[in-house]
Amino acid sequence: MFRAPIAEAAAPSSSRPQSQLSLPARLQRNPGERALSWRMPYGAHCNISTRIKTMARDRLSADEVSELESLRARLNQQLRLATVPTEYAGQRVSKANDCPECPGDEYHPSQGWRPQPHHLSKDQLWSRIREEAQQDAASEPALASNLYSTILAHPNIEKSMAFLLANKLSSPTMLGMQLMRLIQDVYEDDQEVMEACLADLQAVYDRDPACDRYTQAILYFKGFQAVQSYRIAHWLWQKGRKALALALQSRISEVFHVDIHPAAEIGRGIMIDHATGVVIGETAVVGDNVSMLHHVTLGGSGTGRGVRHPTIGHGVLLGAGVTVLGAVMVGAGSKVGAGSVVVSDIPCHSVAVGVPARIIKRDIIKEPVKDMDQCVDFVLNYDI
């Protein structure tokens, strides 16, 4: 799959300094340069009714490609707006960013995924997972067989995840052994898929107060399992194996009640808490460090071609039941309150709530995904 760099955006007018980070390469895409979508040639035995139909995003005219590039440039502009207060010559660049608790070199989730000092390496993480499984098997013998077959019998996390996902997704017509071999092949072919899995696992452990063991997320949190299953389907989609990717998507929806189109672009460090009813459409883009709760919908608008779904920036928190419709953008580091309906762009580092959602705070200093607080910042005036 060919990907072209995003057009440079004009410098935004904002009180916040620009970060030097740009949109990660895995989120850069130009559907005008996707793998060729083939059609049956015209001829004596072929008319328009027999032409092979391509997916909506593959049927782009030159004008639509230009519009898409413009949209991606706007996303690039939004994701460049970092929360980090910086210093120049010993003085703050912007008084609006003055935050004594945030030193200039501190990392912020709205800058995109970055491993943190407290994060475990892959080998350390696998050792920790095995230790937790052994402890649980010793304390609860009824779980020993399950823990052994899922974790303790495997030499590495790739084979453990392949076994777990294959058993979750298998059906009478999609055999578990075939799926396990397929998932193992994906992990062997593309290390980024496993790296994203580990980032997601760290994100769940960091942000979900109900998660105090890594084995909890791997074995019992269907939001984590659904995202990892999506990553397998997305790899198949990128390889041109769209029929199998769509079949896997259907099975993921049945098993986890999470419907993510395999063509959607999703970054690293994703947490979907509870997960039931989450829908992410075909042309949606989700940045790094995004947290969302159950019944979140990133839906399309209209039947036109090109981008029809939302773009969610790095470090965004989407509360329970949030619906974002159409080719709108939710800027990096923003928070959308539970039950809100977003139908227009939300700038970076803002708080929005309501139907339709309206912006009630701008230039927030706190990163929403750090505290995962769905209530604070929404009530401006309160009388008893």
Side-chain angles (χ1 to χ4, degrees):
M1 176 178 178
F2 295 97
R3 298 169 188 252
I6 296 177
E8 289 295 326
S13 59
S14 170
S15 59
R16 293 183 176 273
Q18 290 194 27
S19 167
Q20 296 301 314
L21 299 175
S22 59
L23 184 63
R26 65 183 172 280
L27 292 182
Q28 297 180 5
R29 61 183 184 181
N30 185 345
E33 298 186 16
R34 293 173 61 87
L36 293 178
S37 55
W38 58 278
R39 299 169 182 253
M40 293 182 67
Y42 288 104
H45 303 288
C46 177
N47 55 42
I48 193 170
S49 63
T50 61
R51 292 171 64 191
I52 301 299
K53 292 184 177 180
T54 57
M55 299 305 294
R57 195 169 47 185
D58 295 324
R59 304 192 300 266
L60 295 176
S61 66
D63 290 341
E64 288 164 341
V65 169
S66 176
E67 179 183 356
L68 180 62
E69 290 177 348
S70 174
L71 187 66
R72 294 299 171 219
R74 291 171 58 202
L75 170 65
N76 193 36
Q77 171 180 312
Q78 286 199 344
L79 295 186
R80 284 172 182 264
L81 297 177
T83 311
V84 182
T86 56
E87 295 184 357
Y88 179 75
Q91 297 184 356
R92 294 280 182 177
V93 172
S94 170
K95 189 174 181 179
N97 264 337
D98 196 9
C99 175
E101 298 178 1
C102 301
D105 58 352
E106 181 179 339
Y107 164 74
H108 288 254
S110 59
Q111 295 174 302
W113 171 258
R114 189 184 306 168
Q116 297 303 293
H118 68 278
H119 288 167
L120 303 179
S121 68
K122 180 181 175 182
D123 291 339
Q124 292 172 333
L125 193 55
W126 177 237
S127 297
R128 176 78 170 272
I129 291 169
R130 288 182 61 86
E131 289 174 6
E132 293 176 359
Q134 290 169 347
Q135 293 170 4
D136 290 342
S139 63
E140 190 58 75
L143 289 175
S145 177
N146 177 46
L147 291 169
Y148 181 82
S149 61
T150 307
I151 295 175
L152 298 176
H154 302 286
N156 52 51
I157 193 170
E158 288 89 348
K159 291 190 175 181
S160 176
M161 287 299 303
F163 179 87
L164 172 68
L165 297 180
N167 276 275
K168 289 283 185 178
L169 299 174
S170 63
S171 71
T173 56
M174 295 181 68
L175 302 183
M177 290 301 295
Q178 293 176 327
L179 286 174
M180 186 168 66
R181 182 66 259 174
L182 170 67
I183 297 170
Q184 288 178 358
D185 289 343
V186 173
Y187 289 144
E188 291 173 5
D189 178 81
D190 191 348
Q191 291 186 345
E192 287 191 2
V193 179
M194 177 49 62
E195 290 172 2
C197 172
L198 299 178
D200 296 338
L201 183 58
Q202 295 283 5
V204 174
Y205 186 80
D206 287 346
R207 298 180 212 154
D208 191 342
C211 180
D212 53 14
R213 298 168 76 86
Y214 290 105
T215 49
Q216 283 180 270
I218 290 177
L219 296 173
Y220 312 125
F221 287 10
K222 70 176 184 178
F224 172 79
Q225 296 170 351
V227 172
Q228 306 323 307
S229 301
Y230 147 80
R231 296 195 187 281
I232 303 302
H234 182 64
W235 181 91
L236 292 169
W237 185 272
Q238 290 180 312
K239 296 295 183 180
R241 302 170 67 179
K242 296 184 177 181
L244 182 55
L246 291 171
L248 201 56
Q249 174 204 2
S250 176
R251 185 62 182 156
I252 294 168
S253 180
E254 292 174 359
V255 173
F256 302 117
H257 302 281
V258 174
D259 195 347
I260 306 176
H261 196 285
E265 299 276 357
I266 297 182
R268 302 185 183 191
I270 304 300
M271 188 192 78
I272 305 182
D273 197 10
H274 304 293
T276 299
V278 169
V279 176
I280 300 178
E282 179 193 7
T283 60
V285 177
V286 179
D288 297 343
N289 299 325
V290 171
S291 294
M292 62 183 76
L293 284 89
H294 51 286
H295 291 292
V296 165
T297 298
L298 305 182
S301 179
T303 58
R305 300 176 292 181
V307 177
R308 311 182 312 281
H309 297 87
T311 297
I312 309 299
H314 298 322
V316 168
L317 172 60
L318 302 176
V322 166
T323 299
V324 189
L325 298 176
V328 301
M329 293 188 181
V330 178
S334 291
K335 173 163 56 173
V336 183
S340 300
V341 178
V342 179
V343 292
S344 59
D345 289 0
I346 295 176
C348 298
H349 310 289
S350 300
V351 178
V353 66
V355 181
R358 65 184 183 91
I359 299 167
I360 60 175
K361 280 195 175 183
R362 297 177 184 268
D363 296 324
I364 57 174
I365 297 298
K366 292 182 179 180
E367 294 276 335
V369 297
K370 279 190 173 182
D371 54 30
M372 291 296 296
D373 196 325
Q374 297 186 75
C375 299
V376 73
D377 296 322
F378 292 130
V379 180
L380 301 182
N381 297 305
Y382 195 82
D383 296 325
I384 299 179

